[in-house]
Amino acid sequence: MTIIEQHAPAAYTARDEASRTWTPVCAYTDLVPELGVAALVAGEQVAVFRAFDGRVFAVGNRDPYSGACVMSRGIAGTRGDEPFVATPMHKQAFSLVTGICLDDPGTALPTYPTRVTDGTVEVSVE
Ligand code: FES
């Protein structure tokens, strides 16, 4: 098993990895930079993004403002060094790193650890 890239929320530590359940989502090469993919991972709707710099992020697919499951169809980009996705409904932008809304820090998307194993993107929601 070769892990070539890994992104994890701040609270995640490497020693958690073995005890996590990783779900394959798609091939890394299927991810177009800054275009989201929706996946169902252990019953959770997740939006997966490959940032322009190559990192892979997973956040909740549900837009907390509209309640619609649309974040995978949001517009991704970068503010400074911060990759973000903006909801396609009302355009609020959420950090892909922390999930926090850049326009309204009291609101956030859940974030999930991701890794790329032998070219396959994997996400863990538990
Ligand atoms: S019901 Fe959970 S993301 Fe829509």
Side-chain angles (χ1 to χ4, degrees):
M1 181 170 82
T2 311
I3 297 172
I4 61 164
E5 195 277 340
Q6 184 157 326
H7 167 72
Y12 170 89
T13 59
R15 71 173 190 278
D16 294 335
E17 185 171 336
S19 60
R20 287 187 163 271
T21 302
W22 295 93
T23 301
V25 168
C26 62
Y28 179 76
T29 52
D30 288 344
L31 289 179
V32 176
E34 302 194 339
L35 279 186
V37 166
L40 195 61
V41 179
E44 297 290 330
Q45 277 212 37
V46 171
V48 181
F49 294 88
R50 172 177 164 186
F52 196 67
D53 65 10
R55 288 183 292 166
V56 177
F57 298 94
V59 296
N61 196 34
R62 183 177 173 279
D63 170 11
Y65 292 98
S66 67
C69 301
V70 294
M71 295 311 300
S72 66
R73 289 187 272 131
I75 298 145
T78 307
R79 268 193 206 173
D81 288 335
E82 191 85 352
F84 72 88
V85 58
T87 145
M89 311 294 281
H90 302 296
K91 312 295 185 221
Q92 291 93 347
F94 296 87
S95 165
L96 289 173
V97 179
T98 64
I100 294 170
C101 183
L102 301 175
D103 306 308
D104 174 12
T107 301
L109 299 173
T111 59
Y112 304 105
T114 67
R115 67 181 187 181
V116 180
T117 304
D118 294 335
T120 299
V121 174
E122 298 177 320
V123 177
S124 177
V125 300
E126 55 198 350

